């Protein structure tokens, strides 16, 4: 065919060509090469793409651009579209990127018409997916640099982030017998999810519990070498990118402040009172910072019952009395009763409704006064 090309193809740069005249070489290809090629494609299985790609690459120097465009747009692309429509991510043993991505160097942006269908089917395949199953990441990872960045991130935020965030919500932090599987299921997605989303999930669902465990541990005369190793161990589980984020760095600084304060404070009851007061002030500071930086827990509370916000003066009064009596008063992350934030008040759980305190006794919530609550705990 190379010989025919040299003989038949007219050089329109050196000769006057009739605009309606078909180049003999082009006509030869169109009438003798295209029909058998089209027939062969009708029986082509898209999952065995490499032989066809190599065939087309071999012929590219010999095919005029308009025939190549016809091959890609009118022959290859419809066949790919048909098999993408039939593809099922739950039952197909060959991952779709294995037979779509090899076409990228040749077809480029032509493949973008396939992407909405692929994303829709991937999303359906993730409906019943659980975070402990690593197959989802293997299936999605190859598309990171193929889908537009914003589209890919939006897909992950909708279909992946809620399920791995649930791992953090249910994650139990236990310094003495720590099970890290849920943590690994969450952090495995760090390289795909946008950093702000990872940090936001950690700020809302990990660090409050982590700091609460640290507070409780420091309040029981711990072995500070063990506490330090625990802190360093956890910090080492964060990548440098996450560690350097201002929000995460601040959380680790709070932990260091707690540890330094515990080491330097006197032992005994005086220490406990001082420590409790310090924790109360720290918690109020955290709440103020969180409120100015997307305080999602407060927004969720307000959305549940917009007209029932607790009076800040009464809440401050409760916090002040807790501080004066050496009692820890901190919110329990993601815990609500009657759409009100639940707090740990020493050894009991309470919530505030206007200027009334409700305390949990067995399975019931009963109203009580602040003084009665203090007398009970003392």
């Amino acid at each position: 065919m190379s010989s025919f090309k040299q003989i038949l193809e007219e050089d329109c740069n050196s000769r006057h060509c009739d605009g309606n005249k078909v180049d003999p070489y082009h006509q030869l290809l169109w009438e003798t090469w295209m029909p058998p090629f089209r027939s062969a494609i009708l029986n082509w299985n898209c999952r065995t793409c490499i032989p066809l790609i190599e065939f087309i690459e071999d012929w590219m120097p010999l095919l005029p651009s308009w025939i190549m465009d016809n091959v890609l747009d009118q022959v290859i692309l419809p066949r790919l579209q048909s098999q993408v429509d039939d593809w099922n991510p739950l039952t197909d043993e060959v991952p779709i990127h294995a037979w779509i991505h090899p076409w990228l160097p040749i077809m480029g942006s032509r493949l973008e018409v396939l992407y909405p269908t692929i994303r829709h089917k991937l999303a359906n395949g993730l409906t019943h997916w659980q975070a402990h199953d690593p197959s989802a990441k293997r299936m999605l990872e190859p598309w990171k640099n193929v889908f537009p960045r914003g589209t890919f991130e939006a897909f992950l935020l909708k279909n992946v982030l809620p399920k791995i965030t649930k791992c953090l919500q249910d994650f139990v932090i236990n310094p003495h017998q720590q099970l890290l599987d849920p943590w690994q299921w969450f952090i495995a997605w760090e390289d795909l999810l946008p950093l702000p989303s990872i940090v936001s999930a950690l700020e809302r669902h990990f660090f409050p519990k982590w700091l609460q465990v640290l507070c409780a541990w420091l309040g029981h005369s711990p072995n500070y070498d063990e506490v330090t190793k625990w802190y360093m161990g956890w910090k080492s589980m964060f990548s440098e990118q996450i560690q350097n984020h201002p929000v995460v760095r601040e959380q680790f600084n709070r932990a260091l402040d707690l540890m330094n304060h515990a080491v330097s404070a006197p032992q005994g009851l005086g220490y406990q009172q001082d420590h409790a007061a310090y924790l109360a002030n720290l918690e109020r500071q955290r709440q103020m910072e969180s409120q100015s930086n997307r305080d999602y827990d407060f927004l969720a509370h307000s959305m549940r019952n917009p007209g029932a916000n607790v009076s800040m003066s009464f809440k401050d009064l409760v916090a002040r009395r807790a501080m004066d009596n050496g009692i820890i008063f901190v919110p329990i992350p993601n815990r609500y009763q009657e759409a009100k934030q639940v707090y740990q008040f020493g050894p009991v759980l309470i919530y505030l409704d206007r200027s009334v305190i409700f305390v949990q006794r067995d399975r019931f919530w009963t109203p009580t006064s602040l003084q009665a609550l203090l007398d009970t705990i003392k």
Side-chain angles (χ1 to χ4, degrees):
M1 191 59 73
S2 296
S3 299
F4 280 114
K5 176 178 171 64
Q6 294 175 1
I7 296 172
L8 298 175
E9 191 172 50
E10 296 177 353
D11 184 1
C12 292
N13 293 326
S14 61
R15 299 175 56 184
H16 296 289
C17 299
D18 184 349
N20 295 322
K21 182 181 178 181
V22 178
D23 188 294
Y25 174 69
H26 295 190
Q27 185 174 3
L28 176 67
L29 287 172
W30 184 254
E31 293 180 356
T32 63
W33 185 87
M34 280 296 291
F37 179 78
R38 287 180 181 273
S39 298
I41 292 299
L42 292 176
N43 299 318
W44 169 56
N45 183 346
C46 293
R47 288 159 180 76
T48 56
C49 61
I50 300 301
L52 179 57
I53 291 174
E54 292 176 346
F55 174 82
I56 292 176
E57 288 176 338
D58 289 341
W59 276 89
M60 283 180 69
L62 302 177
L63 297 177
S65 60
W66 68 273
I67 291 183
M68 176 58 66
D69 289 341
N70 185 275
V71 166
L72 298 181
D73 293 331
Q74 305 299 323
V75 181
I76 302 296
L77 189 59
R79 186 64 177 161
L80 289 174
Q81 181 70 71
S82 174
Q83 296 214 3
V84 167
D85 291 341
D86 294 338
W87 169 67
N88 185 335
L90 298 179
T91 59
D92 201 316
E93 296 181 357
V94 181
I96 192 169
H97 68 268
W99 49 275
I100 294 293
H101 289 187
W103 287 103
L104 283 168
I106 295 178
M107 302 193 68
S109 61
R110 287 180 169 93
L111 296 175
E112 291 179 3
V113 298
L114 307 178
Y115 297 163
T117 302
I118 292 173
R119 286 193 295 269
H120 176 72
K121 293 200 169 198
L122 287 172
N124 288 341
L126 291 171
T127 301
H128 301 292
W129 168 72
Q130 299 297 322
H132 62 79
D133 181 0
S135 64
K137 188 167 187 280
R138 291 197 298 266
M139 180 171 57
L140 296 176
E141 200 166 20
W143 295 96
K144 178 180 180 179
N145 297 319
V146 177
F147 291 154
R149 178 179 177 181
T151 302
F152 185 63
E153 290 182 351
F155 177 91
L156 294 177
L157 294 181
K158 179 180 179 181
N159 297 286
V160 173
L161 184 61
K163 295 196 174 187
I164 64 171
T165 297
K166 186 70 164 54
C167 296
L168 289 185
Q169 292 173 338
D170 298 339
F171 186 41
V172 177
I173 300 175
N174 183 348
H176 304 294
Q177 189 176 5
Q178 185 66 67
L179 298 178
L180 290 173
D181 287 350
W183 169 262
Q184 300 293 352
W185 301 335
F186 172 82
I187 209 65
W189 290 86
E190 176 193 350
D191 58 333
L192 295 186
L193 284 163
L195 180 61
S197 299
I198 289 284
V199 171
S200 176
L202 290 169
E203 182 186 20
R204 295 167 59 195
H205 304 296
F206 173 78
F207 279 111
K209 292 191 291 188
W210 187 73
L211 290 172
Q212 189 176 24
V213 168
L214 178 59
C215 290
W217 195 5
L218 293 173
H220 291 82
S221 301
N223 181 321
Y224 289 107
D225 288 338
E226 292 182 0
V227 174
T228 302
K229 290 179 182 178
W230 180 80
Y231 168 87
M232 295 302 297
W234 267 111
K235 190 172 183 181
S236 69
M237 297 179 68
F238 290 73
S239 68
E240 185 176 352
Q241 177 184 228
I242 295 180
Q243 284 188 34
N244 290 334
H245 193 282
V247 170
V248 174
R249 190 164 56 242
E250 175 61 23
Q251 300 293 336
F252 282 119
N253 287 339
R254 286 176 180 155
L256 286 176
D257 289 343
L258 287 170
M259 294 161 62
N260 291 334
H261 186 81
V263 171
S264 61
Q267 299 298 314
L269 180 60
Y271 160 71
Q272 298 295 341
Q273 292 175 336
D274 190 25
H275 188 234
Y278 177 78
L279 294 184
N281 285 325
L282 188 67
E283 179 58 30
R284 284 199 298 274
Q285 179 185 358
R286 186 191 72 80
Q287 289 178 330
M288 291 175 63
E289 292 173 355
S290 298
Q291 194 166 15
S292 64
N293 187 18
R294 309 183 315 275
D295 189 348
Y296 292 103
D297 290 335
F298 179 80
L299 289 176
H301 165 69
S302 299
M303 291 174 64
R304 287 184 177 90
N305 197 345
N309 289 335
V310 176
S311 167
M312 288 302 294
S313 60
F314 183 65
K315 180 182 172 185
D316 284 344
L317 174 62
V318 174
R320 190 177 305 111
R321 294 295 299 276
M323 185 191 312
D324 293 342
N325 288 273
I327 299 171
I328 292 179
F329 175 58
V330 294
I332 306 298
N334 303 313
R335 179 76 181 273
Y336 298 91
Q337 177 67 25
E338 299 293 333
K340 310 296 189 300
Q341 174 68 59
V342 174
Y343 299 85
Q344 179 182 349
F345 191 90
V348 300
L349 300 182
I350 68 169
Y351 73 86
L352 310 179
D353 190 353
R354 296 179 177 85
S355 295
V356 178
I357 300 174
F358 286 79
V359 60
Q360 187 178 37
R361 303 187 189 283
D362 296 326
R363 293 179 300 168
F364 303 99
W365 294 87
T366 58
T368 186
S369 68
L370 178 55
Q371 188 58 51
L373 179 63
L374 292 170
D375 293 341
T376 301
I377 294 176
K378 289 179 180 181

